[in-house]
Amino acid sequence: MKKNSIWIMLAGCFLLTGCGVRPPANAETETEIETLTLATLGGADLSRWVNLYNEKHTDVKIETVNYLDNYPDPREALNQIKIEITAGKGPDLINFGRQYSPLDASSGMLADLYPFLQEDESFDRQDYYCNILDAFAVGDSLYVLVPGYKIDSYATVNDQLARLEGMNVQQLEDAYNMLGDDGILFPGETKKAVFGMMCYGSLENYIDWAEGTCDFNRESFKEILHFANQFPLHLNITDEYSAKEMFAGGQALLYPVSIDDASGITGVRMLFGRTPVYIGYPFDQGCGTMAGIASLAMGISASSKNMEASWDFIRSFLDPAYQDSITNALPLRVSSMEQKLEEAMRAEYDANGEKVAKGVLRFEGEEPVEIYEITEEDAETLRSLIRKIENNATVDYNLYNILLEEVEYLFNEDRNIDDVANIIQNRASIYISENKQGG
């Protein structure tokens, strides 16, 4: 009996102490937390989504750093991020927002997101408008994820343009020249406004961001210079001038469109009294309607030591929880877009039984027109427009300003078009080359 008692006591001792290696009952096992730095350049407030993500993930913490706090100029802030990444430091993630430039993205500062998408078993291309996803690619690489986008285009009811799938510069000029004496291109048509509009949506015609080359010597670019130079240098507007009437009456050839919600498509139809053709920007080939950045453009730093964890955070913006919550933008997820369309087609009423407006068509000096619901035809028009998009409307603003600076010599000093094109080509080539190498 005595031996048995001794063995029982020893067994109890082992159970309680774990052979002397078990921690005390009040000790807590610490989980190592991986901290990821998210750099922002102002714009959208990501704090709510970051907090939700941090609550759900005990092993990862996202810390947001607004670089504009120390570098008020966005370009200066972006250059600082580039310097840090080149030195192998810097943030893990970057939200460029509307400061995004395809030249910056392709300069070596960001990781390609396509491999992460391809290896992600939870990602099914059928669930998304992947043509929008791919529209932001640079060459064969995708450097930023744009989870919510807007549509940039031009609408027309002009018979000559309406029969086209898209238009190039020559087709636009031909249609403009056939307008009557009271016809205009669009309200506000000055030399610089026309040139800026045509270049803003058409730079991909002349720049290969991936290769770091440009071709502003091309004849179609010279056609833009020639066409823009036909317009007045300054705008003269009388008190009786009504931009809304110019569009509604068909006197204006092109109506600028920016759609960031389901009701936007209805406002355009209501303006014209019928569904117009979305002809887009003049493009040498393909669809001239483009996807633009609404607020977020998320990338992974090339110097990040935590790329898988960084991708997991970016991937969360494709989840239904985020996509369904998007406002002031169109979601990438098909089911989320359908939900937006269904809500837009359903009339809503307030406590007094009055219809609730879901959108407003506004023109300066005109009474606003409220939009209460969209039709199935409107919904299908929007779906079709989304599916056609191939390119994005992002630009490098430094490069864009080079074009605007040099074209002034044509507009104000009547310099030869070939000379202006050559100077633009030279300056643009140097700028693109330096920034590609700088990355």
Side-chain angles (χ1 to χ4, degrees):
M1 281 296 289
K2 192 171 182 180
K3 282 186 177 180
N4 288 341
S5 297
I6 292 172
W7 280 111
I8 291 170
M9 289 174 66
L10 288 171
C13 181
F14 273 99
L15 287 172
L16 289 170
T17 64
C19 300
V21 295
R22 185 171 179 173
N26 62 348
E28 295 182 2
T29 304
E30 293 185 4
T31 303
E32 186 175 346
I33 298 177
E34 193 172 36
T35 300
L36 305 180
T37 303
L38 167 62
T40 68
L41 298 168
D45 181 10
L46 287 171
S47 58
R48 178 178 172 275
W49 190 250
V50 167
N51 290 337
L52 285 172
Y53 187 87
N54 286 340
E55 288 173 8
K56 293 179 180 178
H57 296 77
T58 57
D59 57 337
V60 175
K61 181 182 179 183
I62 308 294
E63 286 189 350
T64 303
V65 178
N66 186 352
Y67 272 65
L68 295 185
D69 289 343
N70 294 318
Y71 305 92
D73 184 329
R75 297 304 305 178
E76 187 181 353
L78 185 56
N79 285 335
Q80 178 60 30
I81 294 174
K82 282 184 179 181
I83 291 169
E84 292 176 9
I85 291 174
T86 302
K89 302 175 183 179
D92 296 283
L93 299 140
I94 306 167
N95 173 32
F96 292 86
R98 294 181 184 175
Q99 299 298 325
Y100 170 77
S101 158
L103 180 58
D104 290 331
S106 61
S107 66
M109 69 182 297
L110 296 175
D112 184 3
L113 300 182
Y114 273 143
F116 294 100
L117 282 169
Q118 292 163 1
E119 295 171 10
D120 193 327
E121 295 180 358
S122 65
F123 177 77
D124 187 344
R125 289 183 66 89
Q126 300 298 318
D127 293 338
Y128 303 90
Y129 285 107
C130 281
N131 63 303
I132 303 296
L133 193 75
D134 297 336
F136 289 94
V138 179
D140 295 326
S141 299
L142 180 68
Y143 295 111
V144 291
L145 177 71
V146 179
Y149 64 98
K150 61 188 180 75
I151 295 175
D152 285 335
S153 188
Y154 278 85
T156 187
V157 291
N158 177 271
D159 291 337
Q160 186 166 347
L161 291 181
R163 60 184 172 81
L164 304 173
E165 287 291 320
M167 64 175 177
N168 57 34
V169 179
Q170 188 59 59
Q171 289 166 329
L172 174 60
E173 187 168 6
D174 290 344
Y176 176 77
N177 291 334
M178 291 184 68
L179 294 176
D181 292 339
D182 59 347
I184 62 171
L185 185 64
F186 54 74
E189 51 170 19
T190 63
K191 294 177 186 290
K192 196 166 185 177
V194 173
F195 176 78
M197 160 261 175
M198 297 179 77
C199 286
Y200 181 80
S202 308
L203 283 182
E204 298 241 345
N205 279 324
Y206 311 107
I207 301 174
D208 186 326
W209 301 108
E211 295 297 324
T213 59
C214 61
D215 184 14
F216 290 103
N217 289 326
R218 195 183 305 177
E219 285 305 312
S220 64
F221 183 74
K222 294 177 184 179
E223 288 173 9
I224 290 178
L225 292 171
H226 171 75
F227 182 56
N229 202 31
Q230 300 178 41
F231 294 88
L233 191 59
H234 304 290
L235 191 64
N236 296 315
I237 299 178
T238 64
D239 293 338
E240 293 79 25
Y241 185 89
S242 169
K244 182 179 179 182
E245 289 181 9
M246 298 293 282
F247 292 121
Q251 292 168 272
L253 187 63
L254 300 175
Y255 174 60
V257 173
S258 183
I259 298 174
D260 61 7
D261 62 25
S263 65
I265 201 85
T266 303
V268 182
R269 173 181 58 77
M270 291 171 65
L271 173 64
F272 287 108
R274 57 179 164 137
T275 300
V277 170
Y278 291 87
I279 197 70
Y281 291 85
F283 230 67
D284 283 358
Q285 291 181 337
C287 178
T289 294
M290 310 212 184
I293 295 170
S295 60
L296 301 183
M298 306 286 296
I300 299 176
S301 165
S303 66
S304 174
K305 306 297 190 297
N306 310 295
M307 288 203 179
E308 290 296 334
S310 296
W311 166 249
D312 187 72
F313 175 68
I314 287 184
R315 173 68 176 82
S316 71
F317 289 89
L318 294 176
D319 293 343
Y322 183 82
Q323 290 286 304
D324 290 349
S325 71
I326 286 176
T327 57
N328 301 318
L330 302 175
L332 278 178
R333 196 175 184 91
V334 175
S335 61
S336 300
M337 188 68 234
E338 286 302 311
Q339 178 181 306
K340 303 288 186 190
L341 292 173
E342 288 173 13
E343 291 172 355
M345 284 189 281
R346 188 170 55 246
E348 295 180 8
Y349 300 85
D350 62 19
N352 298 319
E354 299 289 333
K355 273 190 175 182
V356 176
K358 298 180 180 178
V360 180
L361 179 64
R362 299 182 188 276
F363 281 90
E364 187 176 351
E366 307 275 359
E367 284 293 320
V369 178
E370 294 184 325
I371 303 166
Y372 297 103
E373 57 203 300
I374 74 172
T375 66
E376 178 56 47
E377 180 186 353
D378 293 332
E380 187 51 42
T381 298
L382 184 53
R383 292 188 192 102
S384 177
L385 191 60
I386 291 171
R387 289 192 291 264
K388 289 178 181 178
I389 292 173
E390 301 171 336
N391 298 291
N392 70 78
T394 60
V395 299
D396 184 283
Y397 284 100
N398 286 340
L399 179 61
Y400 189 57
N401 286 331
I402 288 174
L403 272 64
L404 294 180
E405 287 172 12
E406 293 302 331
V407 79
E408 291 287 358
Y409 292 101
L410 171 66
F411 297 156
N412 291 284
E413 299 182 13
D414 200 27
R415 186 174 289 181
N416 181 276
I417 285 178
D418 287 339
D419 291 343
V420 172
N422 287 333
I423 292 171
I424 288 175
Q425 170 64 18
N426 184 54
R427 284 193 64 188
S429 296
I430 293 171
Y431 173 76
I432 293 171
S433 176
E434 287 178 347
N435 280 270
K436 289 289 283 189
Q437 294 171 2

